[in-house]
Amino acid sequence: MAADTRQSPAPAPVREPGRPPRQVWRDRLTHWDYKASPYLYIAPFFLVFAVVGLFPLLYTGYLSLFDRDLLDDSPTFVGLGNYLDLVGDEQFWKSLVNTLSIFLLSTVPQITIAVGLAALLNTRLRAPTGWRISVLLPYVASLVALGIIFANLFGPQYGLVNGVLETLGLDRVDWQADRFSSHAAIAVMVNWRWTGYNALIVLAAMQAIPKDLHEAATVDGAGAFRRFRSITLPLLRPTLIFVVVTSTIGGLQVFTEPKLFDAMPGSNNGGAANQFQTVTLYMYQSAFETQQLGYASAIAWVLFLVIIVIALVNFLLTRRLADSGGDR
Amino acid sequence: MRRAVALSVAITVVGGTLAACGAGDADTGADGKVELSIGTFTEFGYEDLLVEYQRLHPDITIKHNKTGQGGPYHQQLFTKLGANRGLEDVVAVEEGHLSDVLAKSRLFNDLAEIGPKDVTADRWLDWKYKAGTDKNGALIGYGTDVGPLAMCYRKDLFEAAGLPSDPEAVKPLFATWESYFAAGDQYVAGTGKAWFDSDAQIFNAMHNQLPTGFFTTADSLDIESNRDIRANWDAVTAAGARGQSAKLTAFSNEWNSGFKSAAFATKTCPAWMLGVIKGQAGPENAGKWAVTAAFPGGGGNWGGSYLTVPKQSAHPREAAELAAWLTAPEQQVKAFVKTGNFPSQVEALSAPELITATDAYFGGVESGKLFAEQAGKVAEPQYKGPGDGRIQETVTTPALQAVEQGTSPAEGWQRVVDGAKKIAG
């Protein structure tokens, strides 16, 4: 019934003198309904978010001010002590560099390939749905299964990738021990999973671009590449921003891939010398292996801030990039 | 094996929150039955036994929570201990995590106090029983199984290298660590192949033979002051540098493949390792592996578990009774027949089922008798301080792995010292 009143024309009812008070009360209700209902409708999301998102976020912040062991009943307040420790913690910086390196190695190729893939899928193909579903398949497959398969492929001694490299006359690569190689291997895993997914999102946006723009440009003599750069790319801007921001958030939280990549099953070390330990993996290790919950909370907050900063930078960069494309 | 890994990793990744909701508190059901729960990992061979127990005790129903792999299982265990809820009434703890449990023994019931009075220390091997008591003498866990160490080796590879290959004749090679590494040099020279699987596997075995672990009995970190630890480090890394290590991280996919491709000739071999070798080397290598009743430096133990009753259990007495029954010799012999988990009970070691057990894969060796003999060679349990197991798993093992990947032994040692300090806090 509340919805019915809301559908009545917008202007607020004018109160007439001499009307019975009940009518005034009803007017007031209608007025509140009109003002408050939209908020009520979206409230469930924010309530759930407050419980499972905001509260843990704030509580983690509170916890990060304590020196708290997992089985410790009496945590001691240390203020910003955990954060100061973090600044001097070599392993943390190492894991941050690892994370950024894996992030760059995965996000940049991933989005580039996704846009290219979308452009290909947007051309006239036989059985378009079949092609579209097939690029999504890696995303559907279980992440854990993928992790195990890829860790096997990249095995240093008996892995398939090294076998192929050797047949091609190239040197074997120690995918576990070498820092950059391990990052590349993990990035391949991430890309394998996410490229198709992003390609479909970009494809949806591409299909929403009006055909007449392309036709007009064709009439003006623009080639396919020129049309792609000057029409498709600028009009993809909002979608690209979305894709870049979500993959930034995901890319900086990579956890399962490096965990499963480690030769030692169940290990959180990220390699013998932490050469591919990401920040989330280090956070998990601090919380549940070395059992320092306060310290792990501090890591979580720093990671949160890093993600916000990088997502913002990416947002601005993407806007700029797509803008300049439109000016031409 | 691989599926178990996948499963357990999935549980860690996805199930962190789910698991907190499962494993509900045991309660007395509406029908007046006591509901008990028991948590185990990998295979304890308890399925049939639990059915039998419920038949013998009609007023008790049991819920069995099984986790595929030990690592995630114990992480969950400590999280639930910290949350003070969610743990089963009977909780299995593996020997490697026991030091952390004993350091928090106030969160567990003293089984000597609440358990059946007829269950006494003489049920178990002396060292097994002692390792399950905390500093104040409280009995925290009833021993289930043990992993007495013997040596497994590739007969055919030994012959090819000109080494003796008969189980009796190889014993002198495995008398001391010196003789073991010397034979390794001979093997490497003869075949150009590796002698053992990884530095860490040998280091752990050597380290566990020391009277105290990484801590003194007063719980202060001993890693720099205990010269023996460093001596073991130097001996292992030197042997590795001479080509004795196959550089395969234990339980990795590559290590599994290593059994098939004969990447190493010897393996430190607790009783349960026979099953691992059979599974990984496969039927095509039957008869090539052998096991002998010798171990460098005397004896040793790797693995084996305890059943504990945490304080958060709503029915501690009933739980202790169940744990006591499961760890009785008769039951553990049945579990041995089912899974090969080697019993820790004195009486079980002379049970006919065990004494007559043979293993065709390993040349028809009398494996039961052999490991019973090895169990008798284990000395006093090593004193392990809080965090001892974690140092072995997250500090020394990766550091040795790094040395195998090219880090210098001196730098690796520095990492060990730094890492151990961090864990000791």
Side-chain angles (χ1 to χ4, degrees):
Chain A
M1 53 164 192
D4 288 343
T5 42
R6 216 170 67 87
Q7 276 167 3
S8 63
V14 184
R15 206 184 297 158
E16 286 170 37
R19 272 220 164 172
R22 189 169 154 67
Q23 196 59 42
V24 175
W25 179 233
R26 177 176 257 179
D27 284 349
R28 203 170 287 164
L29 268 185
T30 312
H31 180 71
W32 281 352
D33 182 25
Y34 177 66
K35 287 279 183 206
S37 289
Y39 296 103
L40 278 177
Y41 295 144
I42 54 168
F45 168 76
F46 286 96
L47 279 179
V48 173
F49 173 74
V51 173
V52 301
L54 193 63
F55 169 71
L57 192 72
L58 296 178
Y59 188 70
T60 306
Y62 168 77
L63 210 57
S64 70
L65 305 176
F66 290 86
D67 181 11
R68 192 189 192 285
D69 202 76
L70 182 63
L71 300 180
D72 198 359
D73 304 327
S74 51
T76 43
F77 183 79
V78 291
L80 294 177
N82 282 329
Y83 291 92
L84 292 176
D85 284 352
L86 207 53
V87 173
D89 184 352
E90 254 177 70
Q91 194 178 346
F92 172 71
W93 291 110
K94 194 167 189 181
S95 68
L96 191 62
V97 172
N98 291 344
T99 309
L100 292 176
S101 158
I102 293 172
F103 161 67
L104 285 176
L105 284 172
S106 54
T107 308
V108 176
Q110 188 187 121
I111 291 179
T112 320
I113 298 172
V115 172
L117 210 56
L120 287 179
L121 286 173
N122 203 22
T123 55
R124 255 183 233 154
L125 294 169
R126 271 169 204 271
T129 319
W131 290 102
R132 285 170 202 167
I133 288 176
S134 64
V135 299
L136 195 64
L137 276 182
Y139 178 72
V140 178
S142 148
L143 178 55
V144 174
L146 282 183
I148 288 169
I149 292 168
F150 274 87
N152 244 321
L153 291 179
F154 285 108
Q157 301 201 21
Y158 306 113
L160 184 67
V161 176
N162 269 347
V164 171
L165 286 182
E166 214 161 46
T167 359
L168 294 177
L170 298 166
D171 283 339
R172 307 177 74 87
V173 176
D174 193 340
W175 298 104
Q176 287 279 336
D178 183 64
R179 197 174 178 193
F180 182 78
S181 307
S182 64
H183 294 182
I186 291 168
V188 167
M189 244 187 270
V190 178
N191 290 340
W192 171 255
R193 186 169 156 78
W194 287 99
T195 307
Y197 173 86
N198 285 328
L200 282 197
I201 292 181
V202 175
L203 174 65
M206 265 182 198
Q207 294 189 327
I209 296 173
K211 282 224 163 53
D212 44 353
L213 285 178
H214 279 284
E215 281 161 9
T218 318
V219 171
D220 287 347
F225 182 70
R226 180 68 205 260
R227 272 182 281 135
F228 178 75
R229 217 183 54 185
S230 302
I231 298 174
T232 312
L233 222 44
L235 287 173
L236 282 181
R237 192 179 79 176
T239 312
L240 280 183
I241 289 176
F242 170 79
V243 168
V244 166
V245 169
T246 49
S247 51
T248 304
I249 294 171
L252 291 174
Q253 295 183 4
V254 169
F255 172 83
T256 316
E257 288 90 345
K259 185 170 166 87
L260 292 176
F261 188 67
D262 201 316
M264 202 195 300
S267 161
N268 299 315
N269 298 321
N274 313 119
Q275 67 268 28
F276 52 89
Q277 187 177 47
T278 56
V279 177
T280 39
L281 203 50
Y282 184 41
M283 176 179 82
Y284 183 78
Q285 183 174 43
S286 302
F288 298 110
E289 203 164 270
T290 46
Q291 308 186 343
Q292 301 162 305
L293 287 187
Y295 196 61
S297 303
I299 298 177
W301 257 87
V302 171
L303 178 64
F304 175 62
L305 296 177
V306 167
I307 290 178
I308 288 188
V309 168
I310 295 186
L312 262 177
V313 169
N314 273 346
F315 170 72
L316 295 174
L317 273 180
T318 322
R319 206 171 58 171
R320 192 76 192 270
L321 214 69
D323 255 347
S324 59
D327 292 341
R328 253 169 251 164
Chain B
M1 182 83 195
R2 217 163 284 166
R3 201 170 51 193
V5 175
L7 191 71
S8 54
V9 175
I11 288 165
T12 356
V13 176
V14 189
T17 44
L18 294 178
C21 314
D25 310 59
D27 253 323
T28 313
D31 47 359
K33 281 191 174 184
V34 174
E35 277 179 36
L36 290 179
S37 53
I38 174 169
T40 63
F41 54 93
T42 63
E43 295 300 334
F44 272 64
Y46 282 172
E47 286 75 8
D48 298 340
L49 293 174
L50 292 176
V51 172
E52 189 181 339
Y53 190 81
Q54 290 177 81
R55 208 179 57 234
L56 295 171
H57 300 79
D59 52 336
I60 287 184
T61 54
I62 301 172
K63 189 170 166 259
H64 188 189
N65 294 332
K66 250 171 93 170
T67 306
Q69 209 190 17
Y73 169 84
H74 288 91
Q75 252 165 36
Q76 287 279 320
L77 191 161
F78 287 106
T79 312
K80 288 175 186 171
L81 265 188
N84 201 27
R85 56 172 298 158
L87 272 181
E88 293 84 0
D89 298 285
V90 178
V91 177
V93 176
E94 207 257 343
E95 169 243 358
H97 297 268
L98 192 63
S99 61
D100 284 335
V101 162
L102 292 180
K104 302 286 175 190
S105 58
R106 62 187 162 82
L107 299 172
F108 290 87
N109 284 297
D110 180 357
L111 295 172
E113 195 182 296
I114 67 157
K117 288 289 168 267
D118 57 328
V119 178
T120 49
D122 55 5
R123 177 188 270 189
W124 288 276
L125 290 162
D126 190 44
W127 54 270
K128 178 74 179 179
Y129 178 83
K130 278 187 186 159
T133 57
D134 77 351
K135 278 188 161 177
N136 308 318
L139 179 63
I140 301 306
Y142 288 139
T144 59
D145 58 325
V146 286
L149 283 162
M151 265 293 173
C152 292
Y153 63 98
R154 278 285 295 251
K155 256 171 144 170
D156 55 330
L157 299 181
F158 269 46
E159 278 161 18
L163 291 167
S165 68
D166 180 72
E168 282 305 312
V170 293
K171 280 184 177 172
L173 305 182
F174 304 137
T176 64
W177 289 109
E178 287 77 35
S179 66
Y180 177 72
F181 291 132
D185 284 333
Q186 203 184 327
Y187 177 80
V188 173
T191 61
K193 284 197 194 169
W195 178 238
F196 50 79
D197 50 349
S198 68
D199 284 2
Q201 287 288 295
I202 302 302
F203 176 80
N204 289 348
M206 293 173 88
H207 178 77
N208 290 340
Q209 287 176 338
L210 301 177
T212 56
F214 296 110
F215 294 84
T216 65
T217 45
D219 284 344
S220 67
L221 188 64
D222 202 19
I223 196 145
E224 282 174 300
S225 30
N226 188 343
R227 298 268 108 213
D228 294 340
I229 302 177
R230 180 66 199 257
N232 286 344
W233 174 276
D234 290 340
V236 169
T237 51
R242 295 196 301 271
Q244 293 196 17
S245 169
K247 307 179 181 182
L248 296 169
T249 304
F251 305 106
S252 66
N253 289 323
E254 303 246 301
W255 182 78
N256 290 342
S257 315
F259 282 102
K260 258 205 178 79
S261 57
F264 42 89
T266 63
K267 177 76 208 86
T268 54
C269 221
W272 48 266
M273 189 63 80
L274 298 189
V276 176
I277 294 178
K278 252 180 271 181
Q280 298 304 339
E284 66 267 35
N285 287 314
K288 289 186 183 165
W289 280 92
V291 55
T292 182
F295 196 77
N301 178 67
W302 178 15
S305 299
Y306 290 84
L307 296 184
T308 66
V309 177
K311 283 255 169 78
Q312 49 180 280
S313 163
H315 303 287
R317 278 176 198 282
E318 288 86 348
E321 210 174 305
L322 168 64
W325 184 83
L326 284 171
T327 56
E330 308 83 62
Q331 273 66 253
Q332 286 297 321
V333 167
K334 286 181 194 164
F336 166 77
V337 171
K338 192 147 181 253
T339 62
N341 291 350
F342 207 75
S344 62
Q345 292 75 6
V346 178
E347 223 176 278
L349 294 184
S350 53
E353 291 94 329
L354 188 121
I355 289 300
T356 57
T358 56
D359 204 317
Y361 192 91
F362 292 85
V365 64
E366 294 180 302
S367 50
K369 210 182 258 176
L370 185 149
F371 283 106
E373 183 188 340
Q374 290 305 98
K377 291 183 189 166
V378 181
E380 286 283 289
Q382 179 184 65
Y383 177 76
K384 290 177 190 287
D388 222 305
R390 271 179 278 154
I391 291 179
Q392 188 152 319
E393 205 167 302
T394 68
V395 180
T396 58
T397 301
L400 284 165
Q401 203 187 337
V403 169
E404 290 175 333
Q405 291 170 350
T407 307
S408 76
E411 199 193 323
W413 176 253
Q414 194 50 49
R415 277 191 205 165
V416 168
V417 172
D418 294 345
K421 279 183 183 162
K422 205 170 149 190
I423 285 186

